[in-house]
Amino acid sequence: MRWAGQTLDAADDGALPGLERSGLVRSVQTPEFEGITFHEVLCKSALNEVPGESQVPFSWTVNPMRGCSHACRYCFARPTHEYLDLDSGNDFDSQIVVKTNVAAVLRKELARRSWKREPVALGTNTDPYQRAEGRYRLMPGIIRALTESGTPFSILTKGTLLRRDLPLLTLAAQQVDVHVSISLAIHDADLQKQLEPGTPSPRARLDLVRAVRDAGLECGVLVAPVIPFLTDGAKQLDGLIGALAEAGATTVTALPMHLRSSTKDWYMSWLVKEHPALVRRYRQLYGHGAYVTPEYKQWLKARIDPLLDTYGFAAEQTRSLPANEPAEPRELVTSGPALTLF
């Protein structure tokens, strides 16, 4: 048996009271995912409505998992784990909540007469193609449900597991609008291993961009976050954007890092250890808030825009920085407070 050696913890053992509210079925540990626990839950809803004031190009999201083994130090979604009585640091990286029935629930929701086939986004909270997708295979069912209902959708991922579903996505694109975007913000492999230890390498993601394009799909790239004083150098950005152009990316969007709530503490603890000389500069740049100063945003825009032009990314299709910070969309949950997405 492939999962021989797995251990199961009954849902009523009281170890994770926050998960009781999420319909916990069982918790699973396997040798193939050392150090990671999967908490399998039955969700009551799959579609999350985005508030109208959020200024994002989609109205609904689907998040098949909570928590993410990509372990990105800067991940904005970390605070969402605290509602489950889990911490936003190591628990977010290693305690993965999997909505095992999400595709079936989604299909029922999309069949409602009230459904207007508005765009649905995947990957707005945690990555749908993180390693757990290799075990649970939730995305094929989600893609089929969206396609068969005539619902346009988009996917944002760092995960090369998306390559598995390219034939399915190609077929889907013949029936509905499908937008695929890859997140790649760190071109330096050593820094990537420090800040995103669970993600595929930059080279692997560039190869994924090529694979998406070879499949006949357009492929946007999100260069986010641009990390102050670590990935915002002229040579670093030139190397990354040039590599994206060579790989065939069709659009590029670049955004500076923001650090909200407990994510800021988690990231800063790493910075203190690895780059103590930058701590004072970060305090000046972020102050007591989550966002960089307007001066830094304008400086970064002035650095990135010429590179986008040099490598042929059309201004009407590509942006470096938004004129204003968008309002924050929120994930709607079946119980408890709303959870921040961006």
Side-chain angles (χ1 to χ4, degrees):
M1 177 178 176
R2 181 180 180 188
W3 303 110
Q6 69 184 16
T7 62
L8 304 180
D9 296 321
D12 61 356
D13 66 0
L16 296 169
L19 286 170
E20 293 174 359
R21 297 191 292 271
S22 300
L24 178 65
V25 175
R26 64 176 185 171
S27 296
V28 181
Q29 296 176 331
T30 75
E32 286 83 350
F33 293 87
E34 184 178 358
I36 294 177
T37 300
F38 298 118
H39 303 289
E40 299 174 356
V41 304
L42 297 178
C43 63
K44 296 180 180 179
S45 65
L47 286 166
N48 308 301
E49 187 172 11
V50 178
E53 67 272 15
S54 298
Q55 302 177 24
V56 292
F58 48 84
S59 303
W60 301 84
T61 67
V62 174
N63 296 298
M65 303 178 203
R66 293 173 66 170
C68 187
S69 60
H70 285 343
C72 300
R73 200 79 189 190
Y74 50 74
C75 182
F76 57 78
R78 288 183 174 277
T80 65
H81 243 41
E82 294 170 354
Y83 170 65
L84 299 176
D85 295 338
L86 298 168
D87 70 55
S88 59
N90 288 321
D91 283 351
F92 182 83
D93 303 338
S94 62
Q95 306 288 326
I96 311 301
V97 179
V98 183
K99 304 173 186 178
T100 56
N101 64 334
V102 64
V105 172
L106 176 62
R107 186 175 292 276
K108 290 181 180 179
E109 292 178 329
L110 296 175
R112 294 172 180 168
R113 295 182 64 181
S114 60
W115 176 243
K116 299 179 181 179
R117 297 178 178 81
E118 298 174 272
V120 172
L122 294 114
T124 61
N125 193 3
T126 54
D127 199 315
Y129 282 104
Q130 60 179 286
R131 285 186 62 214
E133 171 60 17
R135 167 177 179 151
Y136 289 98
R137 299 183 64 87
L138 302 176
M139 286 298 291
I142 291 172
I143 292 169
R144 290 190 182 97
L146 291 166
T147 304
E148 292 168 9
S149 70
T151 301
F153 63 93
S154 62
I155 298 173
L156 172 64
T157 183
K158 296 177 181 176
T160 52
L161 273 168
L162 179 137
R163 188 190 293 259
R164 179 201 67 196
D165 292 341
L166 282 177
L168 186 59
L169 289 168
T170 301
L171 291 174
Q174 297 174 12
Q175 302 180 55
V176 298
D177 287 336
V178 176
H179 297 276
V180 176
S181 296
I182 308 303
S183 177
L184 176 54
I186 304 175
H187 198 205
D188 182 291
D190 291 334
L191 183 61
Q192 174 259 332
K193 290 176 183 177
Q194 294 180 50
L195 282 171
E196 307 172 345
T199 63
S201 69
R203 180 182 295 274
R205 277 178 272 173
L206 288 170
D207 288 342
L208 179 60
V209 173
R210 294 186 181 94
V212 173
R213 298 294 285 127
D214 289 344
L217 300 170
E218 293 191 351
C219 186
V221 174
L222 184 64
V223 179
V226 178
I227 303 173
F229 317 125
L230 291 176
T231 67
D232 59 0
K235 290 184 179 180
Q236 293 165 309
L237 291 170
D238 180 65
L240 175 56
I241 295 174
L244 294 176
E246 183 181 356
T250 49
T251 63
V252 172
T253 300
L255 298 168
M257 181 170 67
H258 68 271
L259 298 169
R260 185 181 293 109
S261 185
S262 51
T263 296
K264 189 172 187 177
D265 294 335
W266 188 243
Y267 177 83
M268 290 301 294
S269 67
W270 173 84
L271 193 72
V272 167
K273 180 180 178 182
E274 300 295 335
H275 298 278
L278 294 180
V279 172
R280 181 177 179 181
R281 300 177 72 182
Y282 266 76
R283 289 172 178 166
Q284 293 172 337
L285 186 60
Y286 287 91
H288 298 292
Y291 296 93
V292 296
T293 62
E295 292 79 10
Y296 179 86
K297 286 178 63 179
Q298 291 304 312
W299 173 86
L300 186 59
K301 177 178 173 63
R303 170 159 287 183
I304 291 178
D305 281 356
L307 293 173
L308 297 176
D309 183 63
T310 296
Y311 288 105
F313 292 109
E316 66 271 16
Q317 296 178 327
T318 300
R319 63 192 176 99
S320 58
L321 301 173
N324 299 295
E325 293 293 350
E328 297 174 5
R330 296 183 179 276
E331 177 186 11
L332 303 183
V333 294
T334 55
S335 60
L339 302 178
T340 301
L341 286 182
F342 286 83

